Amino acid sequence: MSTPTEFQYKEKPDTLVLFDVDGTLTPARLTISDEMKKTLEKLRQKVCIGFVGGSDLSKQVEQLGPTVLADFDYSFSENGLTAYRLGVEQASQSFINWIGEEEYNKLAKFILRYLSEMELPKRRGTFLEFRNGMINVSPIGRNASTDERNEFEAFDKVHQVRAKFVDALKKEFSHLALTFSIGGQISFDVFPTGWDKTYCLQHVAKDGFKDIHFFGDKTFVGGNDYEIFTDDRTIGHSVTRPEDTIKILTELFDL
Ligand code: M1P
């Protein structure tokens, strides 16, 4: 497969470097540094670059800057459910489109019924959050304060209410290819199996890259970079913070 003409100005147009955002390009939930921006500008002269983040594009605009779509060859939000190539939007996907109204209705009814029967010391609001690429289920509710979050987390450690809930859902909806992930303090996420960061790789397949590097900080089992980090299609790099990313890039690509 030949290199797309748009990338031929680069030194290694058949190499793509993909980055996680939080903890890899920026400190968690914070903005990109000038040093990282300069490093990426130099890198982009040599290879193709892209980011793949779990949150939506508005969050990445906040963290990576208002010109983010022009600063990267590929921009992948929500693991690639929203995708841009050279600033041009590619086909997008959503949870509701995938599952369909009928099955979603059954899932939502089961969740709400189960929640109503669960013994809990406290309840707040927003128990089922409908997102573009997933649903998020929280027994205490997403309106819980920080103290209430901590209390719920401690309660759940003892009573395992989330783990039991996930088991019940797995049993009831075994006919659907759903993944349940208890990643945070008060909730769990439900999304189609395979809609982790590897989802974005389908968008780059047609450009025929020889090497695809991936940099991420949550590359351990259960971390949200694990699947793409260990995928056969990528060369994985595990980093501890943005400074570490800069150090490895400088050595690897002679910046
Ligand atoms: O990033 C991990 C999780 O963070 C939040 O979880 P919680 O509110 O339970 O702490 C949520 O945004 C969740 O979707 C996410 O997986």
Side-chain angles (χ1 to χ4, degrees):
M1 207 183 282
S2 64
T3 312
T5 47
E6 306 99 300
F7 299 144
Q8 270 169 12
Y9 72 94
K10 297 174 192 280
E11 237 173 65
K12 290 180 174 175
D14 57 0
T15 298
L16 170 65
V17 184
L18 289 173
F19 299 94
D20 157 57
V21 181
D22 273 322
T24 301
L25 289 181
T26 74
R29 294 184 292 277
L30 298 180
T31 54
I32 190 165
S33 68
D34 284 343
E35 194 191 1
M36 179 63 85
K37 270 193 201 164
K38 286 200 185 94
T39 305
L40 293 178
E41 273 165 27
K42 277 193 253 167
L43 180 66
R44 197 178 180 194
Q45 292 304 310
K46 300 202 165 192
V47 300
C48 291
I49 65 168
F51 71 80
V52 48
S55 18
D56 62 16
L57 183 59
S58 65
K59 189 80 189 119
Q60 286 125 19
V61 168
E62 257 173 49
Q63 290 183 273
L64 302 175
T67 57
V68 63
L69 295 181
D71 296 341
F72 288 82
D73 298 301
Y74 293 96
S75 301
F76 296 125
S77 305
E78 295 178 276
N79 296 348
L81 296 186
T82 299
Y84 288 82
R85 179 185 181 275
L86 294 170
V88 178
E89 191 165 9
Q90 312 291 296
S92 62
Q93 178 58 296
S94 68
F95 179 73
I96 191 65
N97 192 31
W98 175 85
I99 194 169
E101 293 296 349
E102 198 182 327
E103 284 293 349
Y104 178 60
N105 220 331
K106 286 184 200 160
L107 181 64
K109 277 169 70 179
F110 183 90
I111 289 169
L112 295 172
R113 200 178 308 120
Y114 190 101
L115 281 169
S116 73
E117 283 160 13
M118 186 184 270
E119 289 303 330
L120 282 178
K122 277 186 188 172
R123 284 187 162 79
R124 292 297 177 259
T126 314
F127 305 103
L128 172 56
E129 188 171 82
F130 183 79
R131 301 179 180 171
N132 182 50
M134 64 170 73
I135 56 169
N136 176 265
V137 182
S138 173
I140 186 169
R142 300 211 59 75
N143 301 128
S145 66
T146 306
D147 284 349
E148 289 160 353
R149 281 181 155 264
N150 295 337
E151 280 172 35
F152 176 84
E153 194 180 21
F155 177 86
D156 192 40
K157 268 207 181 98
V158 177
H159 299 279
Q160 298 287 306
V161 291
R162 286 185 293 175
K164 287 177 195 161
F165 197 170
V166 163
D167 283 348
L169 281 162
K170 278 186 180 163
K171 209 167 143 214
E172 186 71 19
F173 293 94
S174 58
H175 57 290
L176 300 178
L178 286 169
T179 293
F180 300 87
S181 163
I182 305 178
Q185 261 189 309
I186 57 159
S187 65
F188 59 87
D189 297 325
V190 185
F191 52 88
T193 301
W195 285 22
D196 48 62
K197 287 189 182 172
T198 60
Y199 187 92
C200 78
L201 296 175
Q202 63 189 274
H203 292 295
V204 305
K206 60 183 176 304
D207 284 334
F209 292 105
K210 200 167 127 271
D211 290 327
I212 302 176
H213 294 261
F214 172 76
F215 285 72
D217 67 324
K218 298 201 178 55
T219 54
F220 45 84
V221 180
N224 64 4
D225 294 326
Y226 176 75
E227 290 84 1
I228 189 167
F229 173 74
T230 53
D231 195 282
D232 286 347
R233 291 166 288 181
T234 65
I235 302 160
H237 304 273
S238 191
V239 300
T240 51
R241 55 202 179 109
E243 292 77 3
D244 197 20
T245 307
I246 292 175
K247 187 171 171 278
I248 301 174
L249 286 174
T250 307
E251 285 166 13
L252 200 60
F253 296 101
D254 197 20
L255 300 178

mmCIF file of all heavy atoms in Angstrom, residues 131 134 136 142 149 162 181 183-189 224, ligand 1:
data_model
loop_
_atom_site.group_PDB
_atom_site.id
_atom_site.type_symbol
_atom_site.label_atom_id
_atom_site.label_comp_id
_atom_site.label_asym_id
_atom_site.label_seq_id
_atom_site.Cartn_x
_atom_site.Cartn_y
_atom_site.Cartn_z
ATOM 1 N N ARG A 131 -24.592 8.434 27.661
ATOM 2 C CA ARG A 131 -23.517 9.149 26.962
ATOM 3 C C ARG A 131 -23.491 8.703 25.502
ATOM 4 O O ARG A 131 -24.127 7.712 25.148
ATOM 5 C CB ARG A 131 -22.166 8.847 27.621
ATOM 6 C CG ARG A 131 -22.109 9.246 29.089
ATOM 7 C CD ARG A 131 -20.767 8.903 29.698
ATOM 8 N NE ARG A 131 -20.697 9.287 31.099
ATOM 9 C CZ ARG A 131 -19.707 8.951 31.896
ATOM 10 N NH1 ARG A 131 -18.690 8.227 31.456
ATOM 11 N NH2 ARG A 131 -19.708 9.332 33.161
ATOM 12 N N MET A 134 -21.459 5.164 25.540
ATOM 13 C CA MET A 134 -21.659 4.211 26.642
ATOM 14 C C MET A 134 -22.779 4.709 27.537
ATOM 15 O O MET A 134 -23.261 5.828 27.374
ATOM 16 C CB MET A 134 -20.383 4.115 27.490
ATOM 17 C CG MET A 134 -20.039 5.423 28.184
ATOM 18 S SD MET A 134 -18.725 5.284 29.409
ATOM 19 C CE MET A 134 -17.311 5.098 28.374
ATOM 20 N N ASN A 136 -23.399 5.084 31.848
ATOM 21 C CA ASN A 136 -22.703 5.027 33.121
ATOM 22 C C ASN A 136 -23.769 4.834 34.198
ATOM 23 O O ASN A 136 -24.758 5.554 34.230
ATOM 24 C CB ASN A 136 -21.924 6.333 33.329
ATOM 25 C CG ASN A 136 -21.250 6.385 34.687
ATOM 26 O OD1 ASN A 136 -21.798 6.931 35.626
ATOM 27 N ND2 ASN A 136 -20.056 5.820 34.780
ATOM 28 N N ARG A 142 -24.746 10.239 40.282
ATOM 29 C CA ARG A 142 -23.612 11.074 39.892
ATOM 30 C C ARG A 142 -23.611 12.435 40.593
ATOM 31 O O ARG A 142 -22.636 13.154 40.544
ATOM 32 C CB ARG A 142 -23.559 11.262 38.372
ATOM 33 C CG ARG A 142 -23.424 9.961 37.599
ATOM 34 C CD ARG A 142 -22.674 10.133 36.313
ATOM 35 N NE ARG A 142 -21.344 10.643 36.518
ATOM 36 C CZ ARG A 142 -20.314 9.925 36.987
ATOM 37 N NH1 ARG A 142 -20.470 8.664 37.275
ATOM 38 N NH2 ARG A 142 -19.138 10.488 37.144
ATOM 39 N N ARG A 149 -19.086 10.424 47.744
ATOM 40 C CA ARG A 149 -18.355 9.498 46.856
ATOM 41 C C ARG A 149 -17.464 8.581 47.684
ATOM 42 O O ARG A 149 -17.455 7.361 47.491
ATOM 43 C CB ARG A 149 -17.439 10.275 45.911
ATOM 44 C CG ARG A 149 -18.114 10.891 44.743
ATOM 45 C CD ARG A 149 -17.083 11.610 43.885
ATOM 46 N NE ARG A 149 -17.599 11.677 42.549
ATOM 47 C CZ ARG A 149 -17.312 10.823 41.559
ATOM 48 N NH1 ARG A 149 -16.435 9.884 41.739
ATOM 49 N NH2 ARG A 149 -17.874 10.930 40.384
ATOM 50 N N ARG A 162 -21.525 -3.015 43.329
ATOM 51 C CA ARG A 162 -21.315 -2.841 41.880
ATOM 52 C C ARG A 162 -20.969 -4.166 41.212
ATOM 53 O O ARG A 162 -21.497 -4.490 40.145
ATOM 54 C CB ARG A 162 -20.223 -1.807 41.621
ATOM 55 C CG ARG A 162 -20.680 -0.391 41.878
ATOM 56 C CD ARG A 162 -19.640 0.620 41.494
ATOM 57 N NE ARG A 162 -18.459 0.570 42.342
ATOM 58 C CZ ARG A 162 -17.356 1.293 42.148
ATOM 59 N NH1 ARG A 162 -17.281 2.110 41.107
ATOM 60 N NH2 ARG A 162 -16.332 1.215 42.975
ATOM 61 N N SER A 181 -17.334 -2.070 32.966
ATOM 62 C CA SER A 181 -16.045 -1.662 33.530
ATOM 63 C C SER A 181 -16.233 -0.818 34.800
ATOM 64 O O SER A 181 -16.827 0.262 34.767
ATOM 65 C CB SER A 181 -15.293 -0.885 32.448
ATOM 66 O OG SER A 181 -14.255 -0.162 33.016
ATOM 67 N N GLY A 183 -14.429 1.337 36.703
ATOM 68 C CA GLY A 183 -13.160 2.065 36.650
ATOM 69 C C GLY A 183 -13.026 3.130 37.721
ATOM 70 O O GLY A 183 -11.946 3.387 38.230
ATOM 71 N N GLY A 184 -14.150 3.744 38.115
ATOM 72 C CA GLY A 184 -14.082 4.883 39.036
ATOM 73 C C GLY A 184 -14.539 4.538 40.439
ATOM 74 O O GLY A 184 -14.475 3.384 40.862
ATOM 75 N N GLN A 185 -15.035 5.567 41.146
ATOM 76 C CA GLN A 185 -15.383 5.421 42.570
ATOM 77 C C GLN A 185 -16.821 5.000 42.830
ATOM 78 O O GLN A 185 -17.089 4.257 43.754
ATOM 79 C CB GLN A 185 -15.242 6.814 43.207
ATOM 80 C CG GLN A 185 -13.970 7.070 43.934
ATOM 81 C CD GLN A 185 -14.101 8.401 44.667
ATOM 82 O OE1 GLN A 185 -14.473 9.416 44.086
ATOM 83 N NE2 GLN A 185 -13.807 8.384 45.954
ATOM 84 N N ILE A 186 -17.746 5.550 42.025
ATOM 85 C CA ILE A 186 -19.165 5.395 42.394
ATOM 86 C C ILE A 186 -20.016 4.749 41.300
ATOM 87 O O ILE A 186 -21.233 4.694 41.436
ATOM 88 C CB ILE A 186 -19.794 6.774 42.726
ATOM 89 C CG1 ILE A 186 -19.631 7.745 41.538
ATOM 90 C CG2 ILE A 186 -19.224 7.353 44.001
ATOM 91 C CD1 ILE A 186 -20.615 8.892 41.540
ATOM 92 N N SER A 187 -19.402 4.314 40.210
ATOM 93 C CA SER A 187 -20.217 3.888 39.072
ATOM 94 C C SER A 187 -19.523 2.774 38.296
ATOM 95 O O SER A 187 -18.417 2.362 38.632
ATOM 96 C CB SER A 187 -20.428 5.085 38.143
ATOM 97 O OG SER A 187 -19.187 5.491 37.597
ATOM 98 N N PHE A 188 -20.197 2.325 37.242
ATOM 99 C CA PHE A 188 -19.526 1.476 36.249
ATOM 100 C C PHE A 188 -20.022 1.869 34.867
ATOM 101 O O PHE A 188 -21.118 2.427 34.718
ATOM 102 C CB PHE A 188 -19.709 -0.024 36.540
ATOM 103 C CG PHE A 188 -21.136 -0.508 36.577
ATOM 104 C CD1 PHE A 188 -21.797 -0.912 35.421
ATOM 105 C CD2 PHE A 188 -21.835 -0.567 37.779
ATOM 106 C CE1 PHE A 188 -23.097 -1.366 35.453
ATOM 107 C CE2 PHE A 188 -23.154 -1.007 37.826
ATOM 108 C CZ PHE A 188 -23.786 -1.409 36.662
ATOM 109 N N ASP A 189 -19.183 1.599 33.863
ATOM 110 C CA ASP A 189 -19.518 1.937 32.482
ATOM 111 C C ASP A 189 -19.976 0.679 31.742
ATOM 112 O O ASP A 189 -19.473 -0.421 32.013
ATOM 113 C CB ASP A 189 -18.280 2.483 31.745
ATOM 114 C CG ASP A 189 -17.770 3.778 32.356
ATOM 115 O OD1 ASP A 189 -18.594 4.580 32.826
ATOM 116 O OD2 ASP A 189 -16.543 3.977 32.372
ATOM 117 N N ASN A 224 -7.254 1.935 30.918
ATOM 118 C CA ASN A 224 -7.955 2.150 29.639
ATOM 119 C C ASN A 224 -7.016 2.260 28.425
ATOM 120 O O ASN A 224 -7.475 2.436 27.306
ATOM 121 C CB ASN A 224 -8.932 3.327 29.723
ATOM 122 C CG ASN A 224 -8.232 4.644 29.961
ATOM 123 O OD1 ASN A 224 -6.994 4.704 30.002
ATOM 124 N ND2 ASN A 224 -8.984 5.708 30.126
HETATM 125 O O1 M1P B 1 -12.170 7.244 34.515
HETATM 126 C C1 M1P B 1 -12.770 6.289 35.311
HETATM 127 C C2 M1P B 1 -14.251 6.569 35.523
HETATM 128 O O2 M1P B 1 -14.405 7.861 36.086
HETATM 129 C C3 M1P B 1 -15.719 8.174 36.448
HETATM 130 O O3 M1P B 1 -16.149 7.229 37.408
HETATM 131 P P1 M1P B 1 -16.732 7.587 38.869
HETATM 132 O O4 M1P B 1 -17.661 8.740 38.702
HETATM 133 O O5 M1P B 1 -17.390 6.307 39.288
HETATM 134 O O6 M1P B 1 -15.557 7.919 39.754
HETATM 135 C C4 M1P B 1 -16.686 8.095 35.285
HETATM 136 O O7 M1P B 1 -16.454 9.174 34.396
HETATM 137 C C5 M1P B 1 -16.513 6.799 34.547
HETATM 138 O O8 M1P B 1 -17.250 6.827 33.348
HETATM 139 C C6 M1P B 1 -15.052 6.510 34.233
HETATM 140 O O9 M1P B 1 -14.898 5.257 33.652
#
